[in-house]
Amino acid sequence: MDLKTGIEYIESLKRLNPTVYAYGEKIDDVTESVHLAPHVNAASLTYELAHRPDYEDLMTTTSHLTGKKINRFTHIHQSTDDLIKKVKMLRMIAQQTGSCFQRCVGFDGINAVYSTTYEMDQELGTDYHQRFTDYLKYIQENDYMVAGSMTDTKGDRGKKPHQQEDPDQYVHVVERNEKGVVLRGAKAHQTGMVNSHEMLIMPTVALGEEDKDYAIACAIPVDAEGVVHIFGRQTNDSRRLEGVIDQGNIQYGIVGGESLTILDNVFVPWERVFMCGEAQFAGMMVERFACYHRQNYGGCKGGVSDVITGATAQMAEYNGVAKASHVKDKITEMIHLTETLYGGSIACSADGHKTASGGYLVNPLLANVVKQNVTRLIYEICRLSHDVAGGFIGTLPSERDFNNEDTAAYLEKYFRGSCKYTTEERVRMARLVENMTGGTALAESMHGAGSPQAQRVMILRQGNLQHKTALARKLAGIDKK
Amino acid sequence: MDLKTGIEYIESLKRLNPTVYAYGEKIDDVTESVHLAPHVNAASLTYELAHRPDYEDLMTTTSHLTGKKINRFTHIHQSTDDLIKKVKMLRMIAQQTGSCFQRCVGFDGINAVYSTTYEMDQELGTDYHQRFTDYLKYIQENDYMVAGSMTDTKGDRGKKPHQQEDPDQYVHVVERNEKGVVLRGAKAHQTGMVNSHEMLIMPTVALGEEDKDYAIACAIPVDAEGVVHIFGRQTNDSRRLEGVIDQGNIQYGIVGGESLTILDNVFVPWERVFMCGEAQFAGMMVERFACYHRQNYGGCKGGVSDVITGATAQMAEYNGVAKASHVKDKITEMIHLTETLYGGSIACSADGHKTASGGYLVNPLLANVVKQNVTRLIYEICRLSHDVAGGFIGTLPSERDFNNEDTAAYLEKYFRGSCKYTTEERVRMARLVENMTGGTALAESMHGAGSPQAQRVMILRQGNLQHKTALARKLAGIDKK
Amino acid sequence: MDLKTGIEYIESLKRLNPTVYAYGEKIDDVTESVHLAPHVNAASLTYELAHRPDYEDLMTTTSHLTGKKINRFTHIHQSTDDLIKKVKMLRMIAQQTGSCFQRCVGFDGINAVYSTTYEMDQELGTDYHQRFTDYLKYIQENDYMVAGSMTDTKGDRGKKPHQQEDPDQYVHVVERNEKGVVLRGAKAHQTGMVNSHEMLIMPTVALGEEDKDYAIACAIPVDAEGVVHIFGRQTNDSRRLEGVIDQGNIQYGIVGGESLTILDNVFVPWERVFMCGEAQFAGMMVERFACYHRQNYGGCKGGVSDVITGATAQMAEYNGVAKASHVKDKITEMIHLTETLYGGSIACSADGHKTASGGYLVNPLLANVVKQNVTRLIYEICRLSHDVAGGFIGTLPSERDFNNEDTAAYLEKYFRGSCKYTTEERVRMARLVENMTGGTALAESMHGAGSPQAQRVMILRQGNLQHKTALARKLAGIDKK
Amino acid sequence: MDLKTGIEYIESLKRLNPTVYAYGEKIDDVTESVHLAPHVNAASLTYELAHRPDYEDLMTTTSHLTGKKINRFTHIHQSTDDLIKKVKMLRMIAQQTGSCFQRCVGFDGINAVYSTTYEMDQELGTDYHQRFTDYLKYIQENDYMVAGSMTDTKGDRGKKPHQQEDPDQYVHVVERNEKGVVLRGAKAHQTGMVNSHEMLIMPTVALGEEDKDYAIACAIPVDAEGVVHIFGRQTNDSRRLEGVIDQGNIQYGIVGGESLTILDNVFVPWERVFMCGEAQFAGMMVERFACYHRQNYGGCKGGVSDVITGATAQMAEYNGVAKASHVKDKITEMIHLTETLYGGSIACSADGHKTASGGYLVNPLLANVVKQNVTRLIYEICRLSHDVAGGFIGTLPSERDFNNEDTAAYLEKYFRGSCKYTTEERVRMARLVENMTGGTALAESMHGAGSPQAQRVMILRQGNLQHKTALARKLAGIDKK
């Protein structure tokens, strides 16, 4: 099968029948919902760009399984160059959407499951890797979008899965039989889930023997029986019902369109099960997924920050202050911070290594460092954007007032900045800045791919402190050799 | 007349008839509008608290003009103790509203105009101060809410008023006659304007002789002929139309409820004119207003940050992580940053001084330092809040999904954190965090009372660099004496 | 007795006979030692300035015990105004010394002991407060310099005093008899100790009943039998042996001149003992001392930062870049940070309160906030200074090369900046910057008055989190009343 | 000729006869001077490590000119892999020296001159590239250490070379003849110069036609006639005269050992001249050198920070607080910041590209970002180190007091931390922290490879703002296509 175009992707979604709720209503067609469409648009672009010759090198590659041309988002990284291209692809797409385009979670999921199942089989004599390879061919063949499905709802964060009062706070196996397993629980913050074809379930934390029922990895169609998706709301989402301009990013929305996805006794056949009870490998799968996923943030958020920087510079021009030295200095700082993030993603990719399976993994320490920086620097980038853009991003009247004939002329007159530009473009740009620098967008930079403390735990563990103290003791003349 | 109660304030607004537009419609009664009511509620509390015995010392004082008991918001500061009480009052009210309560702008306006008119009269032989004193008695007598009205729309920020292509980008006098003056222009970001009784117009920048038509200070009823208010929208404002919980702060809204207020050939009688053409005094009036207004931010934002800190600590408890060392450290940091802001406001007050008029002014350098810190530290406080509160503040489903019987049970089950608490309270608190840490709230901390660069210009000018270089030269042995 | 002049202070030191070691040698006269003299000079200025009419209001006050005029450094604060004057005095002196002048430690000690002994006596029926009042009169009468002596050497920081392998790691009572007590242990980081008249011993941490032998407060002459002082070295201290200019601050040295002071079985008569075994009051004494001492840092470090800022601005002028916008912005930031620190000290003073003894105490929360900010902002101020001053502060040849006829002309020619100034003044200023922004000066800002974590513990404890969470619950509609 | 060993390098220096002054005296043998020897030791290690099999891949490579094995420091980068290996080599060496080892400046110089002369010849028909290639073979053949010599003394920074009152503030050609040119001026901050074999002169700024006499690049032996080196002093340098332990880093000193190198009418034959008057290529040479040099800082400072982190963690262990959560968090932060720097250097290398000459250049934007981060993060790393290490790094008595029998026992007893370790090792480690986190070390991080503003200018210029504003306009619906 050929690579899907954007339109073919959308058509393929129409043929699915997932159970989706949003804003108190059941959604019949995710591609037609005013709330879901912007996210469908963003994902659609990941298919469409694969057909553009100038992006072919980034967007497509050759399957190491079939030798056929595939969309990169279904690829297993075969080199550090693949890892670097992933980052460049993410930045390029984010520059065009100004928002999350959702494909990386599944991309990272297949790479994490691929190498972990290989090592699991090597050690335990299981056959998960072969099952997964078959599944992967199916995905590549059909050019499917896979939602990576990791984060459990977790209940009381101070307790392990089996200590929870409600055992369903982590997805777990409630029944096994000849044909497969039955699962219960829910996955939170499921980016792009409602407009994916498949979901790839993974555990959410390293697990001990007492939590082995929670050691489950498997693939499920998004419209399987018992799967219910409840879509989450975002900052200023209701503006989609009111008009166009006030949305800011008029085509693609903010962030990724997350859902709570409930597995209410969902059956999964054995050929789609890639871990079941091997608790000792949960940690590896989680950690590898986390590393791949943290790698991304200097790419996609780098691209998003490029747009914020551009929007901010444009606002300065509209306001007549583009040449003020303090404005140029703030724009410079925004570029500096963006490139610090991007550089981090390139670094963990260039310093990646081959796993036993042949798939490549990023440098874990550097990947965690990137994401940790994202939880700080994006806030500073947005702060600088607010500084330069001006206070009216917080007090602009509604689009409807611009269309009300009693008020239109006043607004047209008084919201004009430099006379070289129209009022409308200044307002549009202000709404874009507002859209990209507020609530949901910030929270996503903070918690996407794991909360800051998760990264710090990894950074300390990977920091090889023993080597560093030995260096110091030698230089101080304490250790003589 | 006695001090108004909260209800009497609301009733008094119903007797006014301002021309107000919001969301494409004309608003007949600002106290009944779903969009405006939260702001009316917040302002109302400033009247109501004046009747509570435990806040009497902060909320009320004695008029130096009439010897009568007045609401502190209509007072001219008579001591540094008055300045300190102002800050403590602001923090206390903000702790109760979790949002802007709008009264400080007019409060700062009357104090700036009071001392400036005094010095203007001393130097120029005008009689503005007497006019203004009469006006102030009228305000105190009627316990009116005054909107301080300073910020012009400014057009091209790189140009002075008279250089603008559209001369109305700054409010100016278009006609003078025996009875008074006629004004044209618009004031932007008018906090609390639509639910005030009066507006106090002031110039927005220091002015040269060529801009003397822009040197205008005066008072106008908010419902005077030719005055049109267009209300600005805020982050997630449309949620007010959808339910209760998703608003977060269910009673008071976010920030102050700002409007663009257009003066379309508005007549002002001479007895309400307090500056008209004295361009050389525009700078003093603007600067004093700015100092008073920047003083506030460690008070009101201190109170707002107290609520954010409390909400964040409560979220940690709901999530089961209140005792984690990194969580406690982040809460500690939020307190530290909040008190840094509050301390700044106390300091500029304690170090205030008496002006020629008898009114007290804050230390200008320290007041600018407070506001500059607000433009940074509030962002960091919000960042820390997001960190601790968790990613679901960005992905929570709509209140309507919680009420939809198809999804209610799932959400109730899976959004439960620690079993000691209900799902509803966890969700309510998440919505409060979302409300207080996003778009409009951040932009207000950045630009309210002037943009960061405005403070930096003042900080350098007030920093007495010559004294500092002399100290250094002496210590280095360069200047011998 | 009259207030000592600077010279009388120095003469009084010559009459003492403390056991002092420094750089491997015994020091016979601290006022003549090349290493100690700069610190004697700085302390001497605190006596000298008390005789200057323009500083009289800051430097002197009236004893509440005797009604006589005293140096403020021996005063018990009688009002918040006294607390504010303390801060202003510290900043003013630091502007003149560019370094620590050592008097605040004893000043804070007498204030902490004064109010704590009062409350101890009230609760326990002891007579410590009367003994201390008599001692204080003696100090005021003789205008003595008192070294506040708190920090024990502490051994293993993870263990309490009685858990230490070496019980002497905290100063403790090893014998009691009719006439007094005998102490053993050592006090570290003793600022100004070697050029003081008296030392005021206090415990260093809150103590439990099992540590009651460590609950000791008392006064001892610095030259008492068994007292041995070993002077600590500082950054670039050896330059004092090599010439003048390379010292930077040519008269006053860096920081305070700290010593390790050993109490090797030192006898203290009962009339000089102010706590002996009342472990339950150790915490109060320590905490009050800490609050007073943390209050200082926005004053003295504010003054030091004024000098650094001035030196940096002067360097920019020498380098020919004083008008560059990025340079002005950095100078602005240095002023901003300095005033943030200073404002913090003013705030905790203005918000102080009366203790049962009549002495005034600062606001504990705000005082800890000041010091916490010092541990960060001073580093940033020094970083900015390095940025503007230029790399040659790290690579300048020795003063001796400037005096060597083979190299003098080359250096004179090539270290010239703007031709408006001599090479020598540029070099002197670079050395001053180097002196004030490096090692010891930074470490002192970090650890003086307690390490950062000590402040954080206090900030969280004082932060009244319960009140804040209640505010949030109310606004979210969780707590209904 | 074979690769030199460390000892052979030192012996080769003894055969040179440079004119060197330091601390007011002429230095006869740089390898024997107490002040210079630590820097010689560090450079010597770059020769020695080339003979260790485990570092062979990093330390050596194959000359693209001769096909022979060479020390990497004399190599022209032939791939991005070479650029990455450079960074890894720098970090590895810095971990062993804890200080600058001086070789990168010349390394970067030869790479910048190599590609620039190629393009110059292409455009102008000159033969500089061949001359330089011959010179490079000579360097590789002899395994020489080359000092990169760029920074002019610059006089008034507000003026261009020809505008200076003293024309010698930038090195320039004062005479040309058949055999060569004569130069005058001085180069400042010459890292490793006094223990190099050769110096490679380059211009220090982009130049206009009016400054063409300043467009000079050439090579000169360090002991050529007319060359005078005056060595700069560093923080605590005099301690080398007093003992061992107080030096901290007992073998290698701090930073790089910088000199002011004067060219007092120095003759250079044409075969060693690589630019002479081609002002239009000065900018390219300067910018390329700057990019290569800024690339380094995440490598070498990364290695230095590894040592600081190790020393700090070790101090925590000595103090008995290694397990405290706030201590672990600070160590984590130090690792995070260090890896942020290192990642930046890897990124600009991995994203490098081939120049027309065949030599590889780093990504200029990312290289400037690395260095900009170094000017901030190193200060924060040192601040955290001070925090954890404890205040006694600023107040420790002199090594001589530890050796004085009157005081030795006291110090031994009272400077003991945890009883698991000796006092001496705790003191040694404190001195190492002091050495690595103070004055000169900080100033070097700030100004080495150019001051922060130099990087900001490049970051803005390389930031492609036009592309970014176009992205934003498209997403806001302003630009339709």
Side-chain angles (χ1 to χ4, degrees), chain B residues 64-135:
Chain B
H64 76 295
L65 297 174
T66 65
K68 292 186 191 160
K69 183 177 180 178
I70 54 172
N71 189 305
R72 183 176 296 278
F73 282 111
T74 64
H75 184 52
I76 300 300
H77 311 290
Q78 298 297 307
S79 63
T80 58
D81 192 51
D82 268 352
L83 292 169
I84 289 175
K85 279 186 177 154
K86 178 192 177 194
V87 174
K88 296 193 172 197
M89 173 181 70
L90 298 179
R91 186 171 186 176
M92 180 273 291
I93 304 174
Q95 288 181 337
Q96 304 205 26
T97 60
S99 75
C100 176
F101 39 89
Q102 316 147 37
R103 296 290 304 272
C104 64
V105 203
F107 190 9
D108 298 333
I110 61 173
N111 275 277
V113 173
Y114 185 84
S115 71
T116 305
T117 51
Y118 184 92
E119 295 181 41
M120 214 178 344
D121 289 0
Q122 292 291 103
E123 188 170 322
L124 306 177
T126 47
D127 65 346
Y128 293 126
H129 189 65
Q130 187 54 52
R131 286 187 205 170
F132 184 71
T133 302
D134 292 343
Y135 173 67

Side-chain angles (χ1 to χ4, degrees), chain D residues 75-89:
Chain D
H75 185 51
I76 301 299
H77 312 290
Q78 297 298 308
S79 63
T80 57
D81 192 51
D82 267 354
L83 292 169
I84 289 175
K85 279 187 177 153
K86 177 193 179 195
V87 173
K88 295 193 172 197
M89 172 181 71

Side-chain angles (χ1 to χ4, degrees), chain D residues 232-246:
Chain D
R233 75 182 312 172
Q234 305 186 330
T235 306
N236 290 330
D237 46 7
S238 304
R239 292 190 187 174
R240 293 177 188 131
L241 305 168
E242 299 175 18
V244 174
I245 292 177
D246 285 6

